[in-house]
Amino acid sequence: MKKAVIFGITGQDGSFLAEFLLAKNYEVHGVIRRSSTDYRERIAHIEGHPDFHLHFGDMSDSLGIMQVIAKTRPDEIYNLAAQSHVQVSFDSPEYTANVDATGVLRVLEAVRTCGLEKTCRIYQASTSELYGRVEAVPQNEETPFHPYSPYAVAKLYGFWIIREYRDAYNMYCCNGILFNHESERRGETFVTRKITLAAARIKQGKQEKLYLGNLSSLRDWGYAKDYVECMWLMLQQERPDDYVIATGEQHSVREFCLAAFREAGIELEFRGEGIHEQGIDKATGKVLVEVSPDFYRPTDVVNLLGDPSKAKRQLGWNPAKTSFEELVRLMVQADMAKVAVERAGEKVRINLEEYLEKGIVK
Ligand code: NAP
Ligand code: GDD
């Protein structure tokens, strides 16, 4: 039985990867942070599985990372832990560097200190944000990097320190240069999930309007569940290497919005330009989407399109498994159900309060 450690187990990708590895009969060790609130929603359904174990640790704490690796002595490590929100990295640049850059070094050094450098394979969650202020479209493994946010600059260090340890110590380390991947488990402040949740809430009368930033930004959006398979495939090759993982298809934030609202049963049309652009409900004439400068970034990455040919050729990975339309559909359907459940819960609460007031129930 192979043993894997996942840093970032509570995140979108960590939860899908844990399910994937458990299905492959791995013993999976996840690293979590202590929090005063419940943040384990994405992995609650696998807690208690006999091959699934959790350890406390933080990417800013070398000793904790070392202890987890010494205790578990894994065959594979997946470093998915990061302050992963680009806009937040402008507010917390030092923290982002500590976790997303130096954190990678801490994992590498812990592996060496534990004497596992010959046996343990490491996956690093690198990112299409490295292309930043893009120098070519589409982007592949040869395209120069031009990071364009504190997040991307930190991730650039992570990318190169992985390459350095591969060359200097002959370690099996890989960078997955993953383009945006989304799902029903995506964090609610990333643009796709923000849109699908808002579309569901607006449709069900729980929200009036959606405020967004740059509607013209272009992304190559895939389905997270398909992407975690690649992380594993990268660690099963004869030699370590770096791979671009993307769909090869590009859409704007505006297009995502149109598709998501349509899936929720609302036909939108966009009118106006820049800060004055609005998304209007064709049926009622109501303004449902507006632009707010609060969601503009000091520097924004606006043209990401990946070329996944190498992953297709060498890993045998299929980038067309889930289409853009399917991705939007599954996210909107999940959020429509989530909002409906919340509304039902609210109704029960209101009824209960009324019954208590009237003395019908005690
Ligand atoms: P996510 O949902 O934000 O999850 C991030 C994970 O990192 C969470 O488990 C989080 O724990 C953990 N984490 C954050 N700071 C930590 C710290 N100081 N110590 C330990 N754990 C910490 O991100 P994701 O979308 O799954 O992405 C996974 C990785 O891929 C990230 O490194 C991200 O930068 C990278 N990436 C993502 C995409 C994408 O489109 N999703 C594309 C390219 C690269 P808490 O739950 O406790 O916060
Ligand atoms: N979050 C957000 N909120 N983004 C918005 C909004 C908004 O209201 N309005 C427009 N956008 C634009 C952003 O300016 C950006 O150009 C694009 O939508 C995508 O933003 P996010 O969904 O926040 O994702 P990201 O591309 O910045 O970062 C994600 O993908 C990277 C891979 O390229 C994250 O998952 C990163 O961790 C990951 O590395």
Side-chain angles (χ1 to χ4, degrees):
M1 188 181 235
K2 274 196 187 172
K3 251 188 259 177
V5 165
I6 303 177
F7 291 98
I9 189 88
T10 53
Q12 170 189 256
D13 292 6
S15 63
F16 281 124
L17 180 65
E19 285 169 5
F20 178 87
L21 294 178
L22 286 171
K24 291 218 167 288
N25 291 322
Y26 275 63
E27 186 178 302
V28 177
H29 295 264
V31 181
I32 55 170
R33 301 191 281 175
R34 200 263 155 186
S35 165
S36 65
T37 51
D38 181 22
Y39 58 100
R40 277 142 78 159
E41 198 186 337
R42 296 188 181 105
I43 52 166
H45 61 293
I46 47 176
E47 282 192 54
H49 187 293
D51 300 325
F52 184 66
H53 310 280
L54 292 175
H55 308 262
F56 283 100
D58 194 295
M59 296 311 287
S60 60
D61 171 18
S62 308
L63 214 58
I65 293 174
M66 186 98 72
Q67 277 169 2
V68 171
I69 294 175
K71 206 163 25 170
T72 54
R73 303 189 68 77
D75 304 290
E76 295 172 6
I77 293 176
Y78 296 86
N79 180 29
L80 312 181
Q83 189 302 92
S84 73
H85 204 284
V86 174
Q87 189 156 10
V88 171
S89 77
F90 289 97
D91 292 331
S92 307
E94 185 186 350
Y95 174 73
T96 304
N98 190 8
V99 171
D100 298 11
T102 320
V104 188
L105 178 68
R106 293 187 182 105
V107 172
L108 290 164
E109 273 303 308
V111 168
R112 289 186 66 221
T113 308
C114 295
L116 296 172
E117 69 273 26
K118 297 264 179 297
T119 56
C120 181
R121 298 184 167 201
I122 303 169
Y123 171 85
Q124 166 60 15
S126 286
T127 165
S128 50
E129 287 293 309
L130 295 173
Y131 299 115
R133 193 178 182 186
V134 295
E135 299 193 1
V137 183
Q139 296 93 29
N140 63 23
E141 292 80 1
E142 308 307 321
T143 308
F145 294 144
H146 188 145
Y148 214 35
S149 66
Y151 166 81
V153 174
K155 283 281 186 178
L156 186 70
Y157 177 89
F159 177 91
W160 279 110
I161 202 71
I162 284 282
R163 289 273 283 254
E164 178 57 24
Y165 275 52
R166 186 157 86 205
D167 292 347
Y169 305 118
N170 210 16
M171 287 169 69
Y172 193 113
C173 311
C174 301
N175 283 294
I177 308 169
L178 269 58
F179 282 62
N180 297 50
H181 44 282
E182 319 294 313
S183 74
E184 63 282 22
R185 295 187 196 170
R186 184 58 144 152
E188 293 177 8
T189 58
F190 295 98
V191 77
T192 56
R193 187 73 201 288
K194 185 173 163 183
I195 294 170
T196 59
L197 203 47
R201 285 191 178 134
I202 289 172
K203 179 68 186 174
Q204 298 185 49
K206 298 304 295 174
Q207 186 173 327
E208 284 290 313
K209 248 183 220 174
L210 166 64
Y211 293 93
L212 292 171
N214 184 358
L215 295 171
S216 301
S217 186
L218 296 163
R219 285 291 182 277
D220 178 328
W221 280 298
Y223 184 34
K225 207 170 180 176
D226 300 341
Y227 283 38
V228 298
E229 184 193 1
C230 273
M231 300 176 185
W232 175 77
L233 281 171
M234 282 178 218
L235 298 196
Q236 314 310 312
Q237 306 305 303
E238 210 178 306
R239 284 194 194 83
D241 206 344
D242 306 322
Y243 298 88
V244 160
I245 306 298
T247 67
E249 197 180 307
Q250 195 184 50
H251 296 273
S252 66
V253 170
R254 189 182 297 103
E255 282 166 358
F256 192 98
C257 227
L258 286 168
F261 275 78
R262 182 169 306 130
E263 186 59 38
I266 300 171
E267 275 302 326
L268 281 184
E269 71 177 335
F270 279 92
R271 284 190 215 146
E273 266 177 47
I275 197 83
H276 302 296
E277 188 165 353
Q278 293 180 322
I280 296 163
D281 184 343
K282 276 190 189 173
T284 62
K286 257 179 95 175
V287 177
L288 301 184
V289 183
E290 286 206 60
V291 175
S292 162
D294 284 358
F295 301 109
Y296 282 169
R297 296 171 183 183
T299 47
D300 199 10
V301 174
V302 295
N303 195 359
L304 292 180
L305 174 64
D307 169 8
S309 308
K310 182 176 169 186
K312 217 168 145 182
R313 199 173 55 244
Q314 292 187 21
L315 303 177
W317 182 67
N318 172 16
K321 209 166 164 183
T322 308
S323 68
F324 175 74
E325 291 73 23
E326 278 171 282
L327 173 66
V328 174
R329 188 173 315 124
L330 71 88
M331 289 180 72
V332 173
Q333 284 180 1
D335 280 331
M336 287 295 276
K338 178 186 157 74
V339 175
V341 168
E342 280 168 8
R343 285 175 64 217
E346 223 170 80
K347 219 169 169 184
V348 169
R349 191 178 50 75
I350 291 166
N351 284 346
L352 187 63
E353 277 166 11
E354 202 184 309
Y355 292 158
L356 283 169
E357 237 170 62
K358 290 181 182 159
I360 298 170
V361 289
K362 290 199 170 45

